[in-house]
């Protein structure tokens, strides 16, 4: 892959990440003012931190990627969907870290 091709791929990936995050906000957070609402609900229910709740979801997708790398092909979604979700979760975690350090 050339540098130009990689740059274009990264542009496409970033667009997909933004679309996925916005869709997830509507579907899961149920709160336009709090992007972490679903993680906070789960955290409160389980008595854990919102970061631990997020990490649980993140690791589910990492597990799917590991299965793909090991040759498992019968996943419900393309591995790129899981990779997109992982990037979104990492960005949300970054947001939590930022919010916690203000």
């Amino acid at each position: 892959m050339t540098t130009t091709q990689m740059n274009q791929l990264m542009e496409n990936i970033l667009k997909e990440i933004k679309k996925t995050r916005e869709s997830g906000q509507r579907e899961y957070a149920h709160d336009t003012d709090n992007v972490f609402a679903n993680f906070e609900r789960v955290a409160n229910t389980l008595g854990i931190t919102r970061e631990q709740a997020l990490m649980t979801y993140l690791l589910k997708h990492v597990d799917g990627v590991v299965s793909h790398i090991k040759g498992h092909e019968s996943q419900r979604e393309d591995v790129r969907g899981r990779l997109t979700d992982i990037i979104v979760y990492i960005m949300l975690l970054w947001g939590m870290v930022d919010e916690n350090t203000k």
Side-chain angles (χ1 to χ4, degrees):
M1 179 177 285
T2 67
T3 300
T4 300
Q5 290 170 321
M6 186 62 196
N7 287 340
Q8 184 59 55
L9 178 61
M10 288 178 69
E11 294 278 331
N12 295 340
I13 290 169
L14 290 171
K15 287 177 189 173
E16 187 63 28
I17 289 166
K18 187 171 178 16
K19 185 172 86 175
T20 298
R21 211 246 9 118
E22 290 169 353
S23 174
Q25 178 71 29
R26 287 188 302 275
E27 185 174 353
Y28 301 113
H30 306 264
D31 184 340
T32 57
D33 293 329
N34 182 0
V35 297
F36 308 130
N38 58 318
F39 303 109
E40 291 169 357
R41 284 192 307 272
V42 168
N44 287 333
T45 299
L46 297 177
I48 60 177
T49 68
R50 65 186 186 176
E51 292 84 359
Q52 290 169 324
L54 181 147
M55 187 58 67
T56 301
Y57 289 107
L58 170 64
L59 290 174
K60 172 187 171 280
H61 291 291
V62 169
D63 189 51
V65 171
V66 170
S67 292
H68 171 80
I69 290 169
K70 290 181 175 181
H72 185 72
E73 295 182 22
S74 63
Q75 297 187 17
R76 290 178 286 159
E77 68 176 318
D78 185 279
V79 71
R80 286 172 286 241
R82 293 184 185 272
L83 292 168
T84 300
D85 288 337
I86 288 168
I87 295 167
V88 170
Y89 285 128
I90 293 295
M91 294 175 108
L92 287 166
L93 182 57
W94 188 307
M96 289 177 182
V97 169
D98 276 1
E99 190 175 82
N100 290 341
T101 57
K102 288 185 178 180

